[in-house]
Amino acid sequence: MRCLVTGATGYIGGRLVPALLDAGHTVRCLVRAPDRLRDHPWRSRVEVVTGDVTRPESLTDAFTDIDAAYYLVHSLGTGADFEATDRAAAEAFGRAAESAGVRRIVYLGGLAPAGVPAGRLSPHLRSRVEVGRVLRASGVPTAELRAAVIIGSGSASFEMLRHLTERLPVMVTPRWVDTRIQPIAVRDVLRLLVGAAALPPALNRAFDIGGPEVLTYRRMMERYAAVAGLPRRLILAVPVLTPRLSSLWVALVTPVPGSLARPLVESLRYEVVRTEHDLDRLLPEPPGGAVGFDEAVRLALRRIRDADVATRWSSASLPGTPSDPLPTDPDWAGGSLYQDVRELRVDVDPAALWRVVEAIGGDNGWYSFPLGWAVRGWVDRLLGGVGLRRGRRDPARLRVGDSLDFWRVEELDPGRLLRLRAEMRLPGPAWLELTVTPDGAGGSRYRQRALFHPRGLAGHAYWWSVAPFHAVVFGGMARRITEEAARGTGGRTGDGRRAGDAGGTGDAGRAGDAGRAGGAGRAGGGTS
């Protein structure tokens, strides 16, 4: 079949595309920024068109000659009116699909609690349910797959579960830890999404999907600890933590920012368990059955340990982040452009220097003033930003579109250029550009350029307030990167520690993911 996938730069979409290709389908991806897919291993096997579901005029070409269209986008975090944005986008998508003669829409929604009126649902879940209703009313047969917690390496739900369990041996928790939930492994979600494209043409309805077990969140944390080889956790539930307070607590302990933690927490207030199993009769389970919770955790931890995480919750762009082009001229747009430029020569091969550059961020840190980076991360979290704890998808390799702490990879020319775009809260767009070139004498030249385009008086005030620290932060970074390359430590200090270990670089340090994953074992391949 010829399939259109929206959300291909996101967590599920980025895994669904190769799954569809492996099933023999032809895939077209609708994305706002095609360059975000440039470095994906399957890029050469798909067609990419530029478009945005919030701009109906951009959808016509995307739907030409399409059999099945996957709707995997939402507007959470774009503002108080995100429900209206979601509704309008779904209506535009449905109209375009109907006009083009698409035979099937497949939508991944949220499993709603049975018997709870829509007015009592969280805005996030209420919007997901409404989007499904809009798509089913479009005139195109729609299969809406409703899932609760998805367990897989890099999913927001899994990262929340993992960090809460690993970092807190004793937990005072809200009441929702005793709510019954039916989690599902990401590989089963993908299997069902692929199969849904070929459902009988008359079917136009929602289906509940879930794994083979119903667990409380408390039990999920206990089972996670057992699989990861952690001591038994002490979990004490109290009735006083509201969803808002709970989301702030989750944002404090885990890499998941409050803007995403809150809808996740609110979704756990009510029991989310399948009320029907109709899809199981239409799309039979594979030999051995659906993946159980413990196995899903083992597979996810194995992926993390082996640095084989295909996509993460942070793969999708943050709503509302600026999209201005990189300034190339000091008089760009007629406004001010502040720069901090550092250049150093180092007597090493450019490839050795590049290895250190590409390993920047995450557990390796930022090679200078760890306390300063940590404070900046905390400030960003307090302002509602992502902070430093998003880390990296892969400890050594980057690709365009990857999130890197509170930056995103905007441009990557392996061996030569890494350009990062700031996604922290700032009064103006900012970039950090790291360049490696041969110096003609057997060594390398490292060039580092920080750029900031202030918006309004607040932007100018921000730059000059932090300018006194640039010598320590940016100057120290340049020196440390070249020193690491000269030592040949590949991003580690001379005593064997990672460059960021002396003092910590994240908001509050990170759990030893790889070491704790050691008990995960090797339990088969495939997407997890």
Side-chain angles (χ1 to χ4, degrees), residues 11-12 15 150-152 184-191 527-528:
Y11 176 72
I12 292 293
R15 298 185 181 211
I150 296 176
I151 302 297
I184 183 171
V186 67
R187 61 173 55 194
D188 283 326
V189 173
L190 296 173
R191 171 179 60 84
T527 301
S528 50

Side-chain angles (χ1 to χ4, degrees), residues 33 70 74 88 106 110 145 198 276 279 314 322 399 409 417 452 461 498 514 519:
Y70 285 86
H74 60 83
V106 181
L145 276 55
E276 49 83 14
L279 195 60
S314 57
R399 65 188 183 201
V409 180
L417 169 69
F452 178 65
R498 290 186 184 273

Side-chain angles (χ1 to χ4, degrees), residues 361-386:
D363 286 340
N364 281 335
W366 293 86
Y367 298 107
S368 69
F369 197 18
L371 178 61
W373 285 98
V375 169
R376 186 62 184 86
W378 276 108
V379 169
D380 194 54
R381 299 283 280 200
L382 291 172
L383 294 175
V386 295

Side-chain angles (χ1 to χ4, degrees), residues 53 59 63 69 71 87-102 105 134-140 142:
V53 293
L59 301 179
F63 282 93
Y71 194 80
R87 185 186 314 114
E91 290 171 347
F93 188 88
R95 283 195 302 270
E98 197 274 335
S99 297
V102 173
I105 291 174
V134 168
L135 293 175
R136 293 197 306 275
S138 67
V140 179
T142 297

